[in-house]
């Protein structure tokens, strides 16, 4: 059931991030502030077209490369690598775990990038492109959740056995 939720979230996040990128592209000024000094004044800029192409490239490259990695991991014969592992002896449960993890990871990354792009749009939509709001919480939250997601699969494989619903 969780795999269905994360797969839906991932597909929805790809659609939403595409819409957000297109929306922000039409609303952003030609010169986008991407860096600010200590007082909040913009000091580094990027062209709107560069921002659009880099954003689209990064978002879709991450999604495509992670799909390729998932496909490669699913082709591995884990029973041949470690025949004593309970997970290797339950290939369906292992496949469901890997598929669900990749969907959850990409859903979170896409959602995180949506908020980053909306934050940049918010900063650049104001006159003067001032950084008058502290976005550090977004960075800290993103790193925290990313660390949890990265360690979930290895810890689950080491310290648990597959259950019948997996």
């Amino acid at each position: 059931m969780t795999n269905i939720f994360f797969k839906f979230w991932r597909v929805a996040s790809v659609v939403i991030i595409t819409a957000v990128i297109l929306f922000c592209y039409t609303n952003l000024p030609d010169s986008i502030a991407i860096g600010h000094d200590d007082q909040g004044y913009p000091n580094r800029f990027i062209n709107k077209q560069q921002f659009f192409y880099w954003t689209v490239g990064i978002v879709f490259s991450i999604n495509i490369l992670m799909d390729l990695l998932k496909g490669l991991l699913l082709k591995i014969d884990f029973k041949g690598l470690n025949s004593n592992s309970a997970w290797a002896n339950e290939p369906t449960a292992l496949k469901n775990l890997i598929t669900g993890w990749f969907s959850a990871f990409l859903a979170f990354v896409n959602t995180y990038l949506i908020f980053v792009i909306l934050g940049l749009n918010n900063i650049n939509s104001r006159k003067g492109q001032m950084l008058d709001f502290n976005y550090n919480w977004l960075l800290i939250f993103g790193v925290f959740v990313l660390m949890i997601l990265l360690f979930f699969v290895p810890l689950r494989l080491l310290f648990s056995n597959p259950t019948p619903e997996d």
Side-chain angles (χ1 to χ4, degrees):
M1 185 66 180
T2 56
N3 284 355
I4 295 169
F5 170 74
F6 286 124
K7 185 170 177 81
F8 175 76
W9 181 14
R10 178 183 173 207
V11 170
S13 68
V14 169
V15 171
I16 293 169
I17 198 166
T18 303
V20 165
I21 291 170
L22 293 173
F23 169 76
C24 291
Y25 180 75
T26 61
N27 290 335
L28 287 170
D30 288 334
S31 184
I32 301 170
I34 58 169
H36 296 80
D37 61 14
D38 293 338
Q39 288 80 30
Y41 293 102
N43 60 4
R44 286 182 303 195
F45 296 90
I46 189 171
N47 188 325
K48 181 164 79 168
Q49 285 78 19
Q50 285 179 316
F51 173 76
F52 174 76
Y53 290 123
W54 274 100
T55 305
V56 169
I58 289 170
V59 167
F60 291 108
S61 295
I62 288 171
N63 281 277
I64 290 169
L65 290 174
M66 292 299 281
D67 270 344
L68 291 172
L69 181 61
K70 178 181 76 171
L72 291 173
L73 277 176
L74 292 176
K75 289 180 183 177
I76 294 175
D77 178 25
F78 289 100
K79 193 166 186 163
L81 291 174
N82 184 4
S83 59
N84 297 331
S85 169
W87 284 95
N89 292 322
E90 295 287 337
T92 305
L94 183 60
K95 178 183 175 191
N96 288 339
L97 177 67
I98 291 171
T99 302
W101 181 85
F102 272 96
S103 293
F105 182 79
L106 286 171
F108 172 74
V109 168
N110 290 337
T111 305
Y112 183 74
L113 289 174
I114 289 169
F115 285 109
V116 169
I117 293 167
L118 287 174
L120 276 171
N121 184 54
N122 187 31
I123 292 167
N124 286 286
S125 64
R126 294 191 190 104
K127 187 169 176 89
Q129 299 171 319
M130 293 285 295
L131 181 62
D132 55 1
F133 183 77
N134 189 353
Y135 287 97
N136 288 341
W137 65 270
L138 183 62
L139 178 65
I140 293 167
F141 175 75
V143 169
F144 179 72
V145 173
L146 189 63
M147 295 303 289
I148 289 172
L149 283 171
L150 287 176
F151 288 112
F152 175 77
V153 169
L155 291 175
R156 176 115 189 246
L157 291 174
L158 286 173
F159 298 115
S160 72
N161 290 325
T163 56
E165 69 228 16
D166 284 339

